[in-house]
Amino acid sequence: MNKKILFTIIPKGYWITLAVAIFFALIGAEFSKLANIGLNLVIFLIGLKLAVLIHEIGHLLFARFVGGTPRRMVLGKGHKVSETKFMGVKIILNSNFNSGLAYAAFDNLNLIRLKLLCYISGGFLTNFFVASVLLLAFNFSTEASNGIQLSSAIVISNLIIGGSVLIPYYSSYQGLRIYSDGLSLLRIPFRKKSQLIELSSVNELLDAFELFESKKYQEAIAIYENFQRKAVESKTANVNLSIAHMKLGNFEKAIELMEELLPLVEEEPFKSFKTYIYNGIAWEYLLVNNLSKADKYSELAYKIDPNTEYIRGTRGSVLIETSKYEEGKNLLINDIDFNFPNSQTLAASIYVGLAFHEIGELKKAKKYVNFVEDNLELLDIDERTLYERSKQKWK
């Protein structure tokens, strides 16, 4: 286990709490209760992460049970820390490990609503099963000051994760609307036939997305276009198809594909993609220097979801391009982590460097410019286009 993975699973704050608890334990006497509280707090917080993992495994196990193909598990948000494959499932660990997503494909659509019911329910049912087994096998106690309560902490964490997802709500992940298990269950009876038919292509679309992640954009485009030919009434693949064309430098084609979706953003299933569509087309307009439209759509995306780093990244970049240097810089600067050179951090660094340059803080600008120039090989065509444009200004 490398350092990044270790500190993702057990962040520095946990280690500090653990160290303080051990210190109190060594002092002993009246401090022993404080030591127990600290140790149980750390166990509980790690237990929450374990419960998230159990939850996502549950989704995939139940999908397998009803004939689906488990494909992907994403643990957390933020920057990618590690990626591996286990029994055909791609597992991605991100830097902010406090949530998860699981993806499975269903080629056979017989009884698909029932299959979706099992798949969606698998997460919280597995949490409750683990909690029940531990309750039966071990004594349960909430007295955190009276010794180490390992099984009790894991029981509570599984009940919290399993119970919380039953609340109907939606959240955002990289600009996409993600439904809780409770809301997803309520939506099953109302899914249109066309949406259910699209489920038969999930394997195909996940293959394309994995090619996309590997920067094999032309191969991904071939799969997306084949899907579009089969599902002539569907435009859901337009989003990633547009981004893939953008990554190849086909900016006008990318904009054309995304513009087809703008009249549909209030319709199902595009509501889930609305912020992603606004953000994507804003970035594409930025690339062709259409700053008025870039400003319009980045503002729309940011108003809906100001908490996603990609949304902030686009909005901040547009603000800096339109000479709002302080406002744009403040949106971008906290999302840059020099330990994670990737599309998001490098693009943000291009514009933070530009902002510092334009306001005359050249030493600070150099720090961000150097980060970009040390990692030029990681820039895609779109990011390199913005880098070359910015370079003309700071040089």
Side-chain angles (χ1 to χ4, degrees):
M1 182 182 295
N2 67 34
K3 186 177 177 181
K4 283 184 181 179
I5 295 174
L6 179 62
F7 282 109
T8 297
I9 298 172
I10 311 176
K12 292 178 181 177
Y14 295 18
W15 289 105
I16 293 170
T17 305
L18 182 62
V20 172
I22 292 172
F23 175 72
F24 284 146
L26 291 173
I27 295 174
E30 67 272 17
F31 290 99
S32 60
K33 287 189 175 182
L34 288 174
N36 289 332
I37 291 171
L39 291 169
N40 282 311
L41 176 61
V42 172
I43 291 169
F44 169 69
L45 293 172
I46 296 173
L48 286 174
K49 295 178 187 290
L50 178 61
V52 169
L53 176 62
I54 289 168
H55 184 89
E56 304 311 330
I57 289 173
H59 280 306
L60 298 181
L61 285 176
F62 274 66
R64 173 82 72 183
F65 179 72
V66 295
T69 305
R71 287 293 306 265
R72 191 178 182 90
M73 183 192 302
V74 180
L75 300 172
K77 300 178 181 179
H79 305 296
K80 185 189 292 184
V81 174
S82 70
E83 177 184 307
T84 188
K85 255 195 172 178
F86 180 74
M87 296 181 67
V89 177
K90 178 179 277 192
I91 303 170
I92 296 170
L93 176 65
N94 289 326
S95 56
N96 188 11
F97 180 12
N98 58 5
S99 60
L101 293 169
Y103 298 86
F106 294 90
D107 294 326
N108 187 336
L109 296 184
N110 290 334
L111 302 174
I112 186 59
R113 294 182 195 274
L114 181 60
K115 290 176 181 178
L116 288 176
L117 176 66
C118 292
Y119 167 44
I120 294 167
S121 302
F124 63 79
L125 289 178
T126 305
N127 285 131
F128 293 155
F129 174 75
V130 169
S132 300
V133 169
L134 291 175
L135 278 171
L136 292 171
F138 301 97
N139 293 326
F140 179 78
S141 173
T142 56
E143 293 295 328
S145 61
N146 294 333
I148 306 302
Q149 309 294 343
L150 178 61
S151 64
S152 298
I154 296 174
V155 166
I156 294 170
S157 61
N158 273 278
L159 291 176
I160 289 173
I161 295 298
S164 63
V165 299
L166 288 174
I167 301 169
Y169 68 94
Y170 65 83
S171 57
S172 178
Y173 177 70
Q174 294 185 351
L176 300 177
R177 184 179 290 185
I178 303 296
Y179 299 106
S180 70
D181 293 349
L183 186 53
S184 294
L185 290 172
L186 291 174
R187 286 166 52 85
I188 288 175
F190 304 101
R191 286 234 192 172
K192 296 178 181 178
K193 186 177 179 181
S194 59
Q195 292 174 269
L196 295 172
I197 290 172
E198 284 183 19
L199 288 172
S200 65
S201 297
V202 168
N203 263 323
E204 182 181 358
L205 294 175
L206 282 173
D207 286 341
F209 188 67
E210 291 190 1
L211 288 167
F212 185 98
E213 286 183 318
S214 301
K215 300 195 176 187
K216 298 176 180 177
Y217 301 119
Q218 200 62 59
E219 294 173 55
I221 285 171
I223 295 177
Y224 287 132
E225 289 181 340
N226 182 59
F227 170 78
Q228 297 286 60
R229 283 192 291 271
K230 290 192 300 182
V232 290
E233 296 182 3
S234 173
K235 290 185 180 293
T236 54
N238 267 37
V239 178
N240 284 337
L241 189 56
S242 171
I243 302 297
H245 274 292
M246 179 193 75
K247 290 292 184 181
L248 289 172
N250 305 326
F251 300 147
E252 296 297 340
K253 177 65 175 177
I255 290 170
E256 177 188 329
L257 287 164
M258 206 70 91
E259 282 180 336
E260 290 179 12
L261 302 179
L262 290 176
L264 307 175
V265 293
E266 297 301 335
E267 300 178 11
E268 291 290 352
F270 297 99
K271 279 185 180 180
S272 301
F273 298 97
K274 180 161 73 170
T275 315
Y276 196 64
I277 291 167
Y278 286 157
N279 189 64
I281 200 166
W283 188 256
E284 291 164 359
Y285 280 132
L286 177 62
L287 289 166
V288 297
N289 218 18
N290 188 335
L291 297 183
S292 61
K293 287 189 175 180
D295 184 55
K296 172 185 175 180
Y297 289 107
S298 66
E299 184 177 22
L300 285 171
Y302 183 72
K303 281 182 176 178
I304 298 169
D305 180 13
N307 297 317
T308 296
E309 59 269 24
Y310 294 97
I311 309 296
R312 286 196 299 270
T314 302
R315 184 61 185 150
S317 301
V318 172
L319 287 169
I320 291 168
E321 281 279 17
T322 54
S323 303
K324 297 173 184 174
Y325 302 119
E326 287 292 343
E327 188 180 351
K329 172 175 66 66
N330 291 339
L331 282 184
L332 295 173
I333 198 164
N334 291 327
D335 290 328
I336 298 171
D337 187 331
F338 294 121
N339 294 313
F340 294 97
N342 54 42
S343 291
Q344 189 260 320
T345 57
L346 292 170
S349 293
I350 290 169
Y351 277 104
V352 170
L354 178 60
F356 275 126
H357 180 274
E358 295 299 292
I359 61 178
E361 297 191 38
L362 302 184
K363 185 179 277 189
K364 290 182 179 178
K366 190 66 176 171
K367 177 172 124 179
Y368 292 94
V369 172
N370 285 345
F371 177 55
V372 176
E373 293 185 341
D374 287 344
N375 294 282
L376 285 178
E377 73 281 0
L378 298 179
L379 298 180
D380 283 329
I381 291 174
D382 60 319
E383 295 137 13
R384 188 172 282 275
T385 297
L386 297 174
Y387 163 73
E388 294 294 341
R389 184 192 300 169
S390 298
K391 188 169 71 170
Q392 298 306 312
K393 298 176 183 178
W394 68 53
K395 294 217 170 176

